[in-house]
Amino acid sequence: MSLRRSLPALVGAVALTLGLPVAAAASAHAPTAVLNPCGFYETGSDAFYNHCTDDGSNVVIKVKVAWGPDYERCVGPGRSWLGAADKIQGAHYLGRTC
């Protein structure tokens, strides 16, 4: 067995022996990303657009509506509520700021 393959196993075994939370540290940021992914996403009842940015910019998105006309909306950094999940079909970035 090569050193490349055995080293991660050795590190994992040592961490378990010492009681170090290797898995918890590796996935510390994963729950936030799963709960608030970038772009359009839905929960069981609501639709959101999460504008992930480090520069504080506002962007224009197009919101696709199930039983009505689509519309454009300016959103800032972070999560924006778009409406009920059964009324919103999707949303995407239009490539411009506002």
Side-chain angles (χ1 to χ4, degrees), residues 27-52:
S27 63
H29 297 289
T32 302
V34 172
L35 294 176
N36 295 321
C38 296
F40 175 77
Y41 70 96
E42 295 179 337
T43 63
S45 59
D46 296 301
F48 296 93
Y49 188 88
N50 191 19
H51 174 41
C52 299

Side-chain angles (χ1 to χ4, degrees), residues 40-74:
F40 175 77
Y41 70 96
E42 295 179 337
T43 63
S45 59
D46 296 301
F48 296 93
Y49 188 88
N50 191 19
H51 174 41
C52 299
T53 182
D54 291 330
D55 66 5
S57 63
N58 295 333
V59 296
V60 179
I61 62 170
K62 182 170 187 172
V63 180
K64 298 189 64 70
V65 181
W67 301 106
D70 298 345
Y71 62 91
E72 294 182 4
R73 178 173 171 186
C74 179

